[in-house]
Amino acid sequence: MATLDSIAQLLISAVIAQTSVTAFVTNPLRRTEKLTAGQTLGASMPVVAGFVSDSNTNYPVGEYSIAVLHRLSDPSDEETYREGAMATDQAVLMDPSFWRVAGIKRVIEVPEMDRPERIGNIIEYTVSVQLAIVP
Amino acid sequence: MSVAGDIVTAVLADISTAIAGVTTSKEAVSITELRGEDFPHAMVLQTDYEAEILEWSQERRTWTISGTIVQEGGTREDMQTKLENIGAQVAADSTLGGTVDRSTFASSLSHSHTDSPHLFGVFVVQAEKVV
């Protein structure tokens, strides 16, 4: 049986397999982990968003937000990263089919991405999507 | 040497490149101690440091180095040219020899007493590094 967390784990594995993200941070809310130069990490924040009905079945809806964090090797590397790995990763994450992992009934809200933000040497952006989970 | 020391050394090196025949001091000296051949002379008066904690255990470190250039005789235009040359040199060496991520330069001509044979230029270099 698929749960919010089991889907989150599948998505984490898919992100690591198909993007430049190499691992996920353990505590995305505290933001205290140290990223090494050139490293790209993910932060996963799933929340229950309600239910959707389809043919007499209620499907739980999960809102999944994946934050991608990249620490520049050098402050001047921003353009290279934005035009290279970041653009490639975003193309993967913005494709609705990426999110249809096992246990997903359908994509309720297509992926949305916020504007990438740079704080210090770390560039961060978040992709959010709403998925109906097969109970 | 400390990072601040490396930055001061790099700033003085840029000043030496920008102004022919300049002598430099890493601390304030009285112009009465300077001999005629020491002019023009650049000295560092003050170095300030502050650090700001950013997200994901980053730290933005900022150094502010201020100093003065003294010339004996000459015109205010001469001093203005010297300051502009230093600004151009720091802009070309914005990482200050690789010691920081980036730096900015500002300067002004100081008011001199009309009887004084010395002209003073004031400069400030702000250098930043994220670690």
Side-chain angles (χ1 to χ4, degrees):
Chain A
M1 191 181 88
T3 65
L4 192 73
D5 284 339
S6 71
I7 297 293
Q9 288 307 313
L10 285 177
L11 292 173
I12 286 172
S13 299
V15 169
I16 291 174
Q18 297 183 45
T19 70
S20 63
V21 172
T22 54
F24 271 66
V25 298
T26 52
N27 194 334
L29 296 179
R30 288 187 62 207
R31 298 181 162 247
T32 52
E33 281 172 64
K34 183 86 174 174
L35 279 70
T36 57
Q39 189 176 36
T40 307
L41 295 182
S44 168
M45 290 162 280
V47 291
V48 177
F51 292 88
V52 63
S53 295
D54 187 354
S55 304
N56 294 328
T57 304
N58 277 339
Y59 296 93
V61 174
E63 181 166 322
Y64 292 88
S65 295
I66 302 278
V68 178
L69 313 154
H70 176 79
R71 186 179 180 116
L72 302 169
S73 296
D74 186 275
S76 62
D77 284 347
E78 177 172 348
E79 197 175 336
T80 305
Y81 172 68
R82 281 178 178 265
E83 293 176 354
M86 189 173 96
T88 309
D89 291 347
Q90 288 176 345
V92 172
L93 297 173
M94 292 304 288
D95 182 354
S97 66
F98 168 82
W99 302 88
R100 288 194 199 100
V101 295
I104 293 301
K105 175 68 175 173
R106 64 189 169 95
V107 176
I108 302 287
E109 295 275 351
V110 294
E112 285 183 11
M113 186 178 69
D114 69 356
R115 189 182 180 88
E117 186 181 22
R118 177 174 172 177
I119 297 176
N121 282 341
I122 291 180
I123 296 178
E124 176 178 354
Y125 61 91
T126 303
V127 179
S128 303
V129 63
Q130 282 196 355
L131 305 172
I133 301 167
V134 178
Chain B
M1 187 180 285
S2 68
V3 176
D6 290 338
I7 293 169
V8 168
T9 300
V11 169
L12 291 178
D14 282 343
I15 291 173
S16 297
T17 304
I19 305 175
V22 72
T23 59
T24 60
S25 306
K26 289 185 176 177
E27 64 284 316
V29 293
S30 166
I31 59 168
T32 57
E33 296 174 14
L34 298 173
R35 293 164 299 175
E37 61 267 31
D38 292 332
F39 295 102
H41 188 81
M43 65 182 88
V44 173
L45 298 179
Q46 191 171 337
T47 303
D48 293 314
Y49 170 74
E50 63 180 32
E52 176 190 5
I53 303 297
L54 305 176
E55 291 182 346
W56 304 107
S57 291
Q58 300 177 97
E59 194 175 297
R60 178 183 287 126
R61 297 175 179 172
T62 307
W63 294 265
T64 306
I65 290 115
S66 51
T68 188
I69 314 273
V70 196
Q71 75 177 30
E72 202 170 42
T75 64
R76 291 175 68 82
E77 285 74 16
D78 293 338
M79 179 57 81
Q80 189 65 50
T81 303
K82 286 184 176 65
L83 295 172
E84 287 171 3
N85 289 346
I86 298 170
Q89 184 60 34
V90 172
D93 176 34
S94 64
T95 64
L96 297 176
T99 56
V100 294
D101 294 339
R102 60 181 175 180
S103 61
T104 49
F105 175 87
S107 65
S108 68
L109 267 169
S110 182
H111 182 74
S112 302
H113 193 279
T114 47
D115 292 338
S116 170
H118 299 111
L119 277 170
F120 294 85
V122 179
F123 67 88
V124 177
V125 176
Q126 192 167 68
E128 179 187 302
K129 186 177 180 70
V130 174
V131 296

